[in-house]
Amino acid sequence: MVLDCGCSLAIEHFSKSLAPKVAGQLELLANFLVESELVDMRTKWVKPIRKARDNNARVGSDAETVRQKKMPSAVAIEAMAHVFVNAQDPAELYIGSTLALLHCAPQRINETVRLQAGCEVDSKSQTGEPQYGLRWPGSKGFDNSIKWILPTMVDVAKQAIEKLTQVSAEARSIASWYESNSDKIYLCPDVEYLRSAVHLNADDISMILYGEKDESKQIMSWCTREGLRRTDGKYSFADFESRILSKLPDGFPNVSPGLKYSDALFAIRPYEMNAKRRTWRCLVGYLSSGQIAGRVGTSGGASETVFDKFSLVDDDGSPVRITSHQVRHYLNTLAQSNGASQIDIAMLVRSC
């Protein structure tokens, strides 16, 4: 009743275009309360108002122009495939695999980044035909489910999952170690001998962080910024360890309810996506949908997109930029053009 009353107030005090957005925020808050068990209500509340659509604008040349603007260009589709096939470094592997998965089944990017290691499902259909799917985390009020992949895209999906599994293996291993050793810093095998040290010099710290020796001045500047005190040219191992442990992600070991860093295909090491900084070897982080958006040019948050890195441009010479929603719209359009019914499409693209 309280939430419905809030929607009534939104309709009364806000425009037709803004009221549904206000209701959407109420829905997010309500879901948070339910999931966190802060209220007695156990079923998720769905906002009763939706964005109004102008039916007259959905047909004719103007509507077709709008639909085409939502579609990725042919060059953009080829660019995404190029990144996936030619990916080498971690950033390219994460982004390229994400783009490939977006083409395998309609999905939201916030669902994709919550995929778990071991999410693949091999089964048989009711007619006995082999089928391949992925265990998919739900969103927008929907439960977790299995999304079956069309046979023509199975190989692509398998390659994408394999690449994500391999590139995230080290980060997930670090996360698993911290789950059992929450009071100790993770050390790579080549620097494990330093665990017994009382003090560390600048080269020791550089080896722990980066796996290579660094100019002492740079490490000293980092230690100063982190509040580590130097005595006779060395730093306390205990102080360094405590500082690193304080940088474990909020909520660790859980990324979100039901998903641990040690299971997440999008677990990363700090700065692993940053082309200008070196990856830290002793901590774990998480690749957010916002970071992915920046790397494909959606948010403008990255100085260089994956398309820039491969020198890929559109036909008119402009940078290639895409959004995950464009890919979902592309798959929806393909379904319509191949005769899928509106019910089939609604089930396939249920969260659109």
Side-chain angles (χ1 to χ4, degrees):
M1 290 174 63
V2 172
L3 294 167
D4 289 342
C5 181
C7 284
S8 297
L9 290 171
I11 294 172
E12 180 180 351
H13 293 285
F14 296 100
S15 67
K16 291 183 178 179
S17 60
L18 184 55
K21 296 180 181 179
V22 174
Q25 295 303 308
L26 287 176
E27 188 176 285
L28 291 174
L29 289 170
N31 290 342
F32 169 76
L33 294 173
V34 172
E35 291 171 357
S36 303
E37 298 183 353
L38 296 174
V39 290
D40 291 334
M41 186 169 65
R42 289 294 175 264
T43 57
K44 291 186 177 180
W45 175 79
V46 179
K47 63 181 181 180
I49 54 176
R50 302 287 175 179
K51 181 180 178 181
R53 292 189 176 185
D54 183 357
N55 290 328
N56 293 327
R58 299 177 69 182
V59 296
S61 59
D62 290 342
E64 182 61 25
T65 300
V66 171
R67 281 191 287 270
Q68 288 302 318
K69 286 184 178 180
K70 293 181 179 180
M71 294 276 285
S73 67
V75 172
I77 294 173
E78 291 178 2
M80 288 185 272
H82 182 91
V83 172
F84 175 59
V85 172
N86 295 282
Q88 295 292 329
D89 66 31
E92 295 166 3
L93 289 166
Y94 279 112
I95 302 300
S97 298
T98 301
L99 295 174
L101 287 174
L102 289 174
H103 284 82
C104 292
Q107 59 200 265
R108 292 182 179 276
I109 191 67
N110 70 346
E111 296 172 343
T112 310
V113 298
R114 289 187 285 125
L115 284 172
Q116 296 188 21
C119 63
E120 295 174 290
V121 178
D122 284 297
S123 182
K124 288 187 177 181
S125 67
Q126 293 180 347
T127 59
E129 295 294 324
Q131 58 183 1
Y132 172 85
L134 302 175
R135 292 187 184 89
W136 216 267
S139 68
K140 293 286 184 178
F142 289 95
D143 295 329
N144 296 348
S145 62
I146 296 176
K147 284 194 176 183
W148 302 109
I149 308 300
L150 290 174
T152 52
M153 296 300 292
V154 166
D155 287 344
V156 173
K158 286 184 175 181
Q159 289 180 44
I161 295 298
E162 181 180 4
K163 289 181 179 182
L164 286 171
T165 301
Q166 292 177 354
V167 74
S168 66
E170 183 63 23
R172 288 184 288 108
S173 176
I174 294 172
S176 180
W177 193 91
Y178 275 120
E179 287 177 15
S180 303
N181 304 273
S182 59
D183 60 341
K184 298 178 182 179
I185 185 176
Y186 172 83
L187 298 177
C188 287
D190 61 328
V191 291
E192 178 62 37
Y193 69 93
L194 291 173
R195 193 175 299 281
S196 60
V198 177
H199 296 95
L200 301 171
N201 59 34
D203 284 340
D204 293 334
I205 292 177
S206 181
M207 285 296 297
I208 292 173
L209 291 176
Y210 311 123
E212 60 185 12
K213 295 181 179 180
D214 197 355
E215 295 181 15
S216 296
K217 289 183 178 180
Q218 293 185 11
I219 291 298
M220 289 169 58
S221 296
W222 180 86
C223 291
T224 299
R225 291 195 301 272
E226 295 296 327
L228 299 178
R229 299 173 61 181
R230 184 163 62 110
T231 303
D232 297 329
K234 293 187 176 182
Y235 302 89
S236 163
F237 180 90
D239 289 347
F240 172 70
E241 181 176 52
S242 176
R243 194 73 190 105
I244 293 298
L245 292 176
S246 71
K247 294 181 180 293
L248 280 170
D250 292 340
F252 185 86
N254 296 316
V255 177
S256 59
L259 178 62
K260 289 186 175 182
Y261 282 85
S262 56
D263 295 326
L265 281 179
F266 286 82
I268 59 173
R269 293 173 294 174
Y271 308 114
E272 198 158 17
M273 297 290 292
N274 193 315
K276 296 182 179 180
R277 301 189 64 173
R278 289 171 293 180
T279 300
W280 282 24
R281 305 195 301 163
C282 56
L283 273 176
V284 65
Y286 191 69
L287 180 57
S288 68
S289 57
Q291 288 176 289
I292 293 175
R295 284 307 184 100
V296 297
T298 303
S299 68
S303 58
E304 182 183 56
T305 70
V306 288
F307 307 119
D308 296 334
K309 191 170 183 181
F310 284 99
S311 301
L312 299 171
V313 296
D314 219 322
D315 284 333
D316 60 0
S318 62
V320 174
R321 300 288 185 265
I322 63 100
T323 68
S324 61
H325 183 77
Q326 282 180 301
V327 181
R328 288 169 56 219
H329 188 75
Y330 171 63
L331 293 181
N332 185 25
T333 302
L334 284 180
Q336 290 178 338
S337 65
N338 283 279
S341 71
Q342 289 301 315
I343 293 178
D344 292 333
I345 295 170
M347 293 178 63
L348 191 64
V349 200
R350 66 185 186 205
S351 57
C352 285

